[in-house]
Amino acid sequence: MVKRLQREIGSTGLEWVDAIILPGEDIDEPSLLEMEQREQLTENFKVRYNDIDYLLALREAAENREVDWFDRESIESVAGELQSMVEKSKGEVVRDLFAVKYMDIFLEDSEQAGQYHRLLKTLERFRDIGRMMMQVEDQYPLEADRILQTLFAAVRANRGHLDIRVIRAMFKSDRPRFDKLATKVADAEAGWDVTAGPSLSNPGSSVPIETEAGEEESEADDEGPGPEVANYPKVAVGTAIELAIDGFSASQQDDVAQVLQEICNRLEVLTEKNRLSSALSRDEGIKVRENLEKIVQWVDENRHLADRAI
């Protein structure tokens, strides 16, 4: 390494290198591994590595301590042992260990076990999945598979961590809407062949991180597009997620006048350049007509409120 540097930048400052020799009788393999992991995981050194390298080093350190990935107490105990090494709080280490756990499960579910390079730039997504599944494992174990399917679908549909964060909030405060989304995801995935697997994804641009009240702040993560999954019903799943999030966001608004104005804005867009009539004559015409009839029915049912207001 030193000779290579001398060739590249010259020998100035590289004539001598300080070294520490550890006597064999004073150091054993576990102690040596501990030092190597400490260097890999300490914040000052972690900048050399991407998010996957950091998580893999954390995963190795946890497994060397015989962590049981399916025992919450075991994960928390190991996190307590590792927190000084990684210079994070215990809660942050627990969060990252759960991210590792669900990355492994995602890759196994995609029949791509161990191919972590396929998940570059997705750390924050799996952190949020881990946060949600910590609650699910404890409080809703019988529903865990269905909930996890919905979260993994968001990753496969290339939805970002902020969308996953909204899905998490939806699960907490609007279960009927979440259940409807989970059903649509399951229906969309019904004919998907998982054996096709994801292809290598390319890192995307940086997205700023927002945190929920009461949670420890997440470190910034350059969020990429996620894995490209062969033959996956990306459009159907992505649309279902987008519509569910849109409906959930609208349900959280207290300003009724603003909600109505937003509806008016969208209806006006539909009448521009005959977009509505053109859509009715195309392949999606049946679905367009169904939704148009719902709007007409809603107006008829609520017309008396407008009359009463006058």
Side-chain angles (χ1 to χ4, degrees):
M1 180 185 68
V2 173
K3 290 180 178 180
R4 184 172 67 247
L5 283 172
Q6 288 176 335
R7 289 194 301 269
E8 292 175 356
I9 64 175
S11 60
T12 303
L14 295 173
E15 295 89 350
W16 299 92
V17 177
D18 290 331
I20 297 175
I21 299 175
L22 302 175
E25 62 272 15
D26 294 340
I27 194 76
D28 56 16
E29 282 298 321
S31 300
L32 184 60
L33 179 62
E34 180 84 11
M35 287 188 286
E36 291 173 347
Q37 289 176 340
R38 186 177 298 277
E39 177 170 331
Q40 283 183 303
L41 294 172
T42 299
E43 283 295 325
N44 291 336
F45 290 98
K46 192 165 67 66
V47 294
R48 302 175 185 172
Y49 303 94
N50 62 39
D51 51 12
I52 296 297
D53 290 327
Y54 159 66
L55 287 184
L56 291 182
L58 186 68
R59 180 179 184 273
E60 182 181 14
E63 293 198 334
N64 286 334
R65 289 160 178 77
E66 300 183 347
V67 65
D68 182 348
W69 293 106
F70 297 96
D71 184 338
R72 173 72 174 269
E73 292 184 359
S74 175
I75 292 176
E76 291 188 349
S77 175
V78 169
E81 296 178 29
L82 294 175
Q83 67 179 99
S84 61
M85 178 187 296
V86 301
E87 299 181 356
K88 292 178 179 286
S89 70
K90 180 179 177 180
E92 288 173 315
V93 181
V94 170
R95 172 203 65 189
D96 288 345
L97 288 174
F98 267 89
V100 172
K101 171 182 176 178
Y102 283 99
M103 277 185 171
D104 278 335
I105 294 174
F106 178 86
L107 288 170
E108 290 171 5
D109 187 59
S110 303
E111 298 194 354
Q112 301 286 333
Q115 299 192 36
Y116 299 99
H117 61 282
R118 300 185 185 276
L119 299 180
L120 288 173
K121 306 292 184 179
T122 61
L123 171 56
E124 203 62 33
R125 271 171 262 198
F126 282 95
R127 277 176 171 163
D128 279 302
I129 289 174
R131 288 186 184 102
M132 182 166 175
M133 293 307 297
M134 276 192 274
Q135 176 188 0
V136 170
E137 289 177 4
D138 183 47
Q139 301 178 20
Y140 310 96
L142 298 180
E143 300 179 66
D145 288 345
R146 179 168 173 266
I147 293 167
L148 190 58
Q149 179 186 22
T150 305
L151 296 174
F152 282 175
V155 176
R156 293 183 172 115
N158 297 150
R159 310 304 299 191
H161 76 278
L162 294 178
D163 283 352
I164 293 176
R165 200 162 287 183
V166 175
I167 293 173
R168 181 180 165 207
M170 187 191 307
F171 175 80
K172 289 180 179 179
S173 61
D174 193 344
R175 285 298 301 278
R177 192 181 303 276
F178 175 86
D179 290 341
K180 184 177 179 181
L181 170 61
T183 298
K184 288 187 175 181
V185 166
D187 291 344
E189 289 188 344
W192 169 52
D193 181 12
V194 68
T195 59
S199 62
L200 183 64
S201 61
N202 297 314
S205 59
S206 177
V207 176
I209 302 300
E210 296 180 4
T211 58
E212 294 183 8
E215 287 193 343
E216 296 174 356
E217 184 176 356
S218 301
E219 61 190 56
D221 175 50
D222 292 335
E223 188 167 45
E228 285 298 326
V229 185
N231 302 318
Y232 188 72
K234 179 179 175 181
V235 174
V237 172
T239 298
I241 292 173
E242 187 172 350
L243 291 175
I245 288 176
D246 181 68
F248 177 71
S249 299
S251 72
Q252 303 302 299
Q253 293 187 35
D254 295 326
D255 191 337
V256 175
Q258 180 179 342
V259 174
L260 289 171
Q261 183 60 59
E262 291 172 355
I263 293 172
C264 290
N265 290 341
R266 296 188 182 192
L267 292 175
E268 288 173 3
V269 169
L270 291 177
T271 57
E272 293 175 355
K273 300 179 181 180
N274 297 319
R275 291 179 66 182
L276 182 57
S277 59
S278 297
L280 286 167
S281 63
R282 294 197 294 267
D283 293 341
E284 71 269 27
I286 295 177
K287 188 63 177 178
V288 172
R289 186 174 298 278
E290 289 177 357
N291 288 324
L292 182 58
E293 289 174 352
K294 290 179 182 179
I295 293 173
V296 173
Q297 181 181 354
W298 184 90
V299 171
D300 289 340
E301 291 175 353
N302 292 278
R303 189 183 302 277
H304 65 283
L305 295 175
D307 295 337
R308 188 173 67 185
I310 294 173

